[in-house]
Amino acid sequence: MSVLVTNLGELTTNDPELGTVRGAAVVLDGDRVGWVGSAKRAPQADSRVDAQGRAGLPGWVDSHTHLVFAGDRTAEFGARMAGEAYTAGGIAVTVEATRAADDEQLRAGLRKHVAEAVAQGTTCIETKTGYGLTVVDEVRSARLAAEFADEVTYLGAHLVPPGTDPDAYVDLAAGEMLDRVAPYVQWADVFCETGAFDEAQSRQVLKAAAARGLGLRVHGNQLGPGPGVRLAVELGAASVDHCTHLTQSDVDALAGSDTVATLLPACDLSTRQPLPEARRLLDAGATIALATNCNPGSSYTSSMAYCIATAVLQMRLSVPEAIRAATLGGAQALRRTDVGVLRPGARADLHLLDAPSATHLAYRPGVPLTWAVWRSGSPARPPRG
Ligand code: NIG
């Protein structure tokens, strides 16, 4: 079945040849984009949606979330807003609740959070393990994540479980745990930060993952300067995430590499950190992505629109730069060429706004603008009347 979505006031494609098309139309043909161009030249399709001048863009690519969890950390958030510092140690609270939950409880959380994201225009979503931290619980987290997410990342090296010998745990995370989780995941990640894993420990896990054919990602430079960015670039990671505290040599390293700097501004606001220097990274020539980091501890939001409004209003990105980072940038962080872009052959992931232009995402911050969403060609959120 094909559908013609026509009379789009503005269509952001992220395709260098198509650019931003005014008076546009798109044909979604099954799970692929069949045609993109001026509405005046649009071909026929099996059905037709009149967007009545609304703006369209590729669905968001949320390349960093932690959705396999149970429990609640509202009290920790409240304490932080009253002046307590955020530390990696809070992860252990969610680990305890996640281990105690049964599969159906974890599935219900995944289903709810993915649906919440999709209803806001997210059509490609990555999520991680990392709240299990035993072989059995990490395998279970990966298996359940694979039922709901487009991309799954192994994050056994999220925290050394309290009461565990760090060296023994790193050996496990780089050995048996990795072997058992690998069939369910595309990526491996390490939280390379004071209070989590140091450079040598991070390197051990990442190299073991690369040897098993997994792509690499790193949580780095979140709570202070550190080796995360340098290590990610050295090992050819697809992405280094957070990048809140960067030195000039980190910026230079990112600019000279294929490693995407994934910025998580909702997390920085929720943990009372400075916002990442997106402008400095872009001006140096680095590739950036914007993602939600949806998790119960440091960033409990699934709203990519909130990240975009923050990036524009507080991080000095232009609206097109922020939208690109939340679509094509996320795709690059996941090394995918089929999402984050609207051109024939791309995945049929389309997001329509109840607004005449994408600029309204920052011009009207906090207003739910999503009007319709197609994910792989299926109407994940049918057009509102
Ligand atoms: O990306 N930095 C490490 N992991 C998560 C935090 C998880 C938590 O506090 O539960 C993050 O912010």
Side-chain angles (χ1 to χ4, degrees):
M1 287 290 286
S2 59
V3 55
L4 168 66
V5 182
T6 189
N7 200 8
L8 291 155
E10 169 194 285
L11 181 68
T12 303
T13 70
N14 287 335
D15 179 83
E17 279 166 29
L18 291 162
T20 298
V21 186
R22 319 259 163 217
V26 185
V27 175
L28 307 179
D29 193 359
D31 66 352
R32 298 286 128 186
V33 174
W35 183 91
V36 182
S38 164
K40 291 186 190 128
R41 291 192 294 278
Q44 297 292 312
D46 298 324
S47 64
R48 183 177 187 276
V49 171
D50 186 344
Q52 297 174 320
R54 294 179 173 88
L57 63 166
W60 306 130
V61 180
D62 192 350
S63 60
H64 185 134
T65 76
H66 303 247
L67 299 181
V68 193
F69 70 87
D72 177 87
R73 283 161 64 191
T74 310
E76 178 189 317
F77 176 79
R80 204 155 67 231
M81 295 306 110
E84 296 276 318
Y86 173 80
T87 66
I91 294 166
V93 174
T94 301
V95 169
E96 198 179 324
T98 303
R99 287 177 183 168
D102 64 28
D103 286 11
E104 272 320 304
Q105 288 169 312
L106 294 180
R107 266 196 194 98
L110 275 157
R111 188 177 295 115
K112 172 185 149 163
H113 290 107
V114 171
E116 182 183 282
V118 170
Q120 298 171 83
T122 297
T123 50
C124 181
I125 193 162
E126 178 271 3
T127 202
K128 299 178 221 309
T129 73
Y131 292 125
L133 309 188
T134 64
V135 173
V136 166
D137 289 296
E138 284 295 300
V139 170
R140 175 169 83 132
S141 296
R143 178 171 50 76
L144 296 175
E147 293 178 18
F148 295 90
D150 297 87
E151 302 274 335
V152 181
T153 301
Y154 163 62
L155 184 57
H158 199 189
L159 185 78
V160 177
T164 310
D165 172 66
D167 291 335
Y169 186 72
V170 171
D171 288 343
L172 180 70
E176 185 197 346
M177 188 184 278
L178 173 61
D179 285 331
R180 296 272 306 279
V181 174
Y184 301 99
V185 304
Q186 295 79 38
W187 302 97
D189 194 343
V190 174
F191 187 14
C192 180
E193 194 83 37
T194 304
F197 296 85
D198 68 19
E199 181 174 353
Q201 295 167 329
S202 301
R203 186 187 301 275
Q204 182 181 336
V205 176
L206 292 167
K207 288 189 94 164
R212 286 158 177 83
L214 297 182
L216 304 183
R217 334 183 60 73
V218 176
H219 279 63
N221 303 62
Q222 175 182 2
L223 303 174
V229 166
R230 183 168 36 80
L231 186 62
V233 170
E234 176 198 320
L235 297 180
S239 171
V240 55
D241 300 37
H242 287 284
C243 297
T244 306
H245 298 273
L246 298 180
T247 62
Q248 188 56 44
S249 80
D250 293 327
V251 173
D252 293 341
L254 286 165
S257 77
D258 290 336
T259 302
V260 174
T262 299
L263 311 182
L264 310 167
C267 174
D268 296 302
L269 291 172
S270 173
T271 54
R272 298 248 162 108
Q273 290 283 308
L275 286 164
E277 294 183 273
R279 187 73 273 143
R280 183 177 171 204
L281 284 162
L282 276 187
D283 291 347
T287 301
I288 64 164
L290 284 169
T292 63
N293 190 17
C294 186
N295 77 77
S298 65
S299 184
Y300 198 17
T301 181
S302 54
S303 172
M304 290 291 280
Y306 173 60
C307 299
I308 286 166
T310 301
V312 174
L313 298 173
Q314 299 191 61
M315 292 157 63
R316 296 174 47 238
L317 293 192
S318 68
V319 176
E321 285 169 338
I323 288 173
R324 186 180 175 89
T327 50
L328 193 63
Q332 289 170 307
L334 295 169
R335 300 225 161 129
R336 289 184 70 141
T337 54
D338 61 330
V339 296
V341 63
L342 290 169
R343 62 166 162 253
R347 203 167 87 169
D349 289 353
L350 178 65
H351 181 195
L352 302 191
L353 304 177
D354 195 5
S357 79
T359 302
H360 280 232
L361 287 160
Y363 181 41
R364 307 197 68 213
V367 177
L369 292 178
T370 296
W371 188 69
V373 181
W374 284 263
R375 187 181 188 200
S376 284
S378 297
R381 178 169 180 159
R384 287 192 255 138

